[in-house]
């Protein structure tokens, strides 16, 4: 199956582009790493986890059916199982929670496994990245990011 993140974008390309964008932002923005108790190199590695997992839930057949059946879409649906087509419900296309769980699993088996603050930051960001993303400034006395 060809997996899409958006009607005109391959999911694997979207995840790679997101990582490139994040890494560029990390290069040009000043980040207060002391507040995160992490060094520059580790934070860049941590953010790769975020970039490559933030939409991994879009690999679900439910999301793929949704993206192929949106208004105006002419994408084929013959790659979608009849079970998914017959039982599709709008809420089944949601991908934030499953993406957050994948991130948790990966981080829990990485060198970041004991960094509860980073794990919380990452999971919360992914789960809410299409909704009301809560500001994480309340965790710290100073802002994390500045121009």
């Amino acid at each position: 199956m060809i997996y899409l993140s958006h009607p005109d974008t391959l999911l694997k390309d979207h995840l790679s582009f997101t990582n490139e964008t994040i890494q560029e932002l990390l290069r040009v923005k000043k980040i207060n790493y002391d507040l995160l108790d992490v060094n520059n190199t580790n934070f860049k590695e941590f953010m790769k986890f975020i970039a490559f997992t933030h939409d991994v839930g879009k690999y679900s057949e439910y999301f793929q059916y949704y993206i192929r059946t949106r208004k105006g879409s002419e994408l084929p649906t013959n790659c979608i199982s009849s079970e998914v087509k017959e039982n599709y419900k709008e809420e089944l296309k949601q991908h934030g929670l499953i993406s957050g769980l994948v991130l948790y699993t990966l981080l829990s088996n990485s060198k970041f496994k004991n960094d509860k603050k980073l794990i919380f930051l990452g999971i919360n960001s992914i789960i809410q990245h299409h909704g009301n993303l809560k500001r994480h400034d309340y965790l710290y006395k100073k802002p994390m990011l500045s121009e």
Side-chain angles (χ1 to χ4, degrees):
M1 180 185 310
I2 295 173
Y3 294 94
L4 303 169
S5 63
H6 302 87
D8 59 348
T9 308
L10 294 175
L11 183 50
K12 66 182 183 76
D13 292 344
H14 171 67
L15 297 175
S16 292
F17 177 75
T18 300
N19 180 56
E20 291 167 14
T21 302
I22 288 173
Q23 295 305 317
E24 178 62 15
L25 284 171
L26 291 175
R27 194 179 66 69
V28 300
K29 296 285 186 180
K30 182 179 179 184
I31 298 180
N32 189 342
Y33 293 106
D34 293 336
L35 292 174
L36 297 170
D37 294 325
V38 67
N39 65 40
N40 176 323
T41 303
N42 282 345
F43 193 67
K44 286 180 181 178
E45 184 180 342
F46 170 76
M47 291 306 294
K48 282 183 184 180
F49 278 96
I50 302 291
F52 284 110
T53 60
H54 85 280
D55 272 346
V56 77
K58 288 184 175 184
Y59 279 106
S60 80
E61 205 174 350
Y62 289 102
F63 184 86
Q64 293 304 306
Y65 180 69
Y66 158 76
I67 202 77
R68 286 167 166 74
T69 58
R70 293 177 68 185
K71 186 177 178 181
S73 173
E74 296 179 17
L75 297 166
T77 60
N78 59 339
C79 55
I80 306 296
S81 71
S82 58
E83 181 182 347
V84 167
K85 290 176 184 178
E86 293 166 9
N87 298 309
Y88 180 79
K89 293 182 182 93
E90 189 72 13
E91 62 269 14
L92 296 175
K93 75 172 175 65
Q94 300 304 321
H95 60 279
L97 181 59
I98 190 70
S99 297
L101 292 171
V102 169
L103 175 68
Y104 176 77
T105 300
L106 292 172
L107 290 176
S108 295
N109 292 290
S110 75
K111 69 181 182 182
F112 299 106
K113 65 184 171 193
N114 295 320
D115 195 331
K116 305 301 182 205
K117 194 183 326 183
L118 277 183
I119 290 174
F120 171 80
L121 178 68
I123 292 169
N124 194 42
S125 297
I126 285 180
I127 289 174
Q128 299 188 52
H129 81 274
H130 286 295
N132 263 338
L133 187 62
K134 306 275 189 261
R135 290 177 46 117
H136 296 97
D137 294 358
Y138 66 89
L139 294 173
Y140 314 102
K141 298 196 187 300
K142 301 177 188 174
M144 274 180 30
L145 190 74
S146 63
E147 294 295 325

